[in-house]
Every structure is written in structure tokens, then in C-alpha cells.
Amino acid sequence: AQSVTQLDSHVSVSEGTPVLLRCNYSSSYSPSLFWYVQHPNKGLQLLLKYTSAATLVKGINGFEAEFKKSETSFHLTKPSAHMSDAAEYFCVVSDLTSASKIIFGSGTRLSIRP
Amino acid sequence: DGGITQSPKYLFRKEGQNVTLSCEQNLNHDAMYWYRQDPGQGLRLIYYSQIVNDFQKGDIAEGYSVSREKKESFPLTVTSAQKNPTAFYLCASSFQGADTQYFGPGTRLTVL
């Protein structure tokens, strides 16, 4: 069965410093992996998606993620945090038992210090 | 302007009352989904529908019901049988067989 684990429930960084949000997955096959962002009381917005075309995936708002099969990781990074990046971030894996279903991590809340 | 709309944004109901949450999409997506989000938790799947007039239970379907009479619409009814209905409810849609889902803005339901 597929699963995804977000290693930090809360990450706090200073504005202008790098961001690292960690995600590990479990899957028997190469899954599709996603990062979504959710601002307070809003829906989820797709940041980026990995589908095996390239291990380094660039997303919106300067975010990128690297797929590392040997480490079963898909960490999200950004070189320089902005105040507007403060939000909840979800790592998501496709559910191979159903073409349309996806499985969510528990989320990481990113706080940005001025 | 294409997208997914959910209404209302905030909803208050008395305990024991059924309530229906609206979800509409004009993206021509075949599949639609309902998720529940509680504080500090990821999203949990309530129901999903891959085509009109067909739907399947997700992981936490008890106390909820849905219908899919039109491709564009997938309303969710929270019944009085749902023991803890206060939560943030998110609707999503996708093309059939595609794993990328697009989300609406959500409805926050509070049962008093």
C-alpha cells in the first residue's frame, strides 16, 4: 500500500532564508508525487508534480522538489522564503489501487519570521 | 472563468439537522471528490464519483451521502448520523483516470 509521511508538523524560517519541507513515501512502484499548498481557510493549490520525466521538478512561486528513489524522499525546497509563503503544505502520493485516488500526508505548517 | 466553486463558504447548523454542501465545476472534469479536513490532519476522502450517476465510498463515508446527477455538480449531504460533523470540507475534480486533482475553496461547517 502507498503512504506518505511528512517529517515535520511545523517549520519556522526567517524571511530570505532557505526552506526545506521533508516528505518520505512508501510505494511498491514509482508513484506520482505532488506538493500542494493551502493558505488559511482556502482550498489547495497544486505547487508541483513528479511523474518520472525528471527527478528535479520545478513548481510555482520558486519552489522545487527532488525525487530520490534510493531515499524514498520528495523534499520541497525554496532558496529564499517570502512572507507570503506562510501556509500549510501537503505532500501527496497517487494511490495505485485506484487511478483517481490520491493519499495525503498530514501536512507541514510553514511559518516565516520577519 | 473556469474552476470549482463551493458554497457557502461558512455554514452553521443545529445538531440533528441535515445539511447539503454545494460543489460545481466547469472544467469538464469527469471525476469529483469530497474530502474532510480536521485541524492538524491531512485530508480524508469521504466519497468520490468517476462518472455521472455513479459514486463510491471513500475512507470515512459514514454519516454522509452524495448524488451525481450532472457532470458539473456533486453535492454532499451531512446527515444527523455523522457524529462529529464540524470540519472544513473540500471538493475536488479531475479528468477520469488522472491523478492530478483541482480543489475548490472549501466550506467550513460548524454544528452548534
Side-chain angles (χ1 to χ4, degrees):
Chain A
Q2 293 76 42
S3 66
V4 60
T5 302
Q6 293 185 244
L7 300 167
D8 307 291
S9 60
H10 182 213
V11 170
S12 179
V13 303
S14 297
E15 190 175 19
T17 64
V19 174
L20 170 64
L21 305 183
R22 299 183 295 164
C23 173
N24 285 111
Y25 70 93
S26 172
S27 179
S28 302
Y29 302 94
S30 291
S32 293
L33 292 158
F34 311 78
W35 278 98
Y36 282 86
V37 60
Q38 183 183 33
H39 289 91
N41 292 311
K42 303 285 188 186
L44 276 68
Q45 181 183 18
L46 180 65
L47 270 181
L48 50 82
K49 174 184 177 181
Y50 166 76
T51 55
S52 78
T55 56
L56 184 63
V57 184
K58 293 190 182 300
I60 61 172
N61 301 334
F63 284 93
E64 61 183 35
E66 187 172 8
F67 174 74
K68 291 187 177 180
K69 188 173 181 179
S70 60
E71 299 176 9
T72 61
S73 70
F74 189 58
H75 301 335
L76 183 70
T77 60
K78 183 173 181 177
S80 177
H82 191 272
M83 294 300 291
S84 61
D85 295 327
E88 188 91 15
Y89 291 80
F90 292 96
C91 184
V92 176
V93 64
S94 55
D95 183 346
L96 295 175
T97 64
S98 169
S100 298
K101 289 175 68 178
I102 56 178
I103 299 166
F104 286 82
S106 56
T108 298
R109 182 164 62 91
L110 176 64
S111 299
I112 311 295
R113 301 186 300 270
Chain B
D1 205 15
I4 304 173
T5 57
Q6 292 184 243
S7 60
K9 187 171 177 62
Y10 298 96
L11 190 54
F12 297 88
R13 279 294 180 268
K14 292 183 180 179
E15 196 172 332
Q17 289 183 333
N18 290 357
V19 61
T20 297
L21 281 58
S22 168
C23 178
E24 305 274 334
Q25 55 95 5
N26 60 4
L27 300 169
N28 200 31
H29 285 168
D30 308 287
M32 297 185 73
Y33 313 80
W34 274 106
Y35 293 92
R36 172 185 170 130
Q37 185 178 27
D38 295 283
Q41 297 189 35
L43 277 66
R44 293 183 289 169
L45 183 64
I46 304 173
Y47 268 99
Y48 65 106
S49 167
Q50 300 198 46
I51 55 171
V52 174
N53 293 322
D54 187 44
F55 48 82
Q56 290 80 40
K57 292 182 178 180
D59 301 316
I60 55 164
E62 186 175 349
Y64 299 98
S65 66
V66 293
S67 63
R68 187 85 187 277
E69 297 176 1
K70 297 187 301 182
K71 186 176 184 176
E72 301 80 15
S73 178
F74 191 41
L76 173 75
T77 297
V78 184
T79 75
S80 56
Q82 168 50 233
K83 292 183 171 55
N84 186 18
T86 294
F88 191 50
Y89 289 87
L90 286 155
C91 179
S93 68
S94 72
F95 288 111
Q96 190 175 33
D99 52 16
T100 302
Q101 295 183 14
Y102 297 89
F103 286 81
T107 292
R108 185 165 297 282
L109 173 63
T110 303
V111 176
L112 307 170

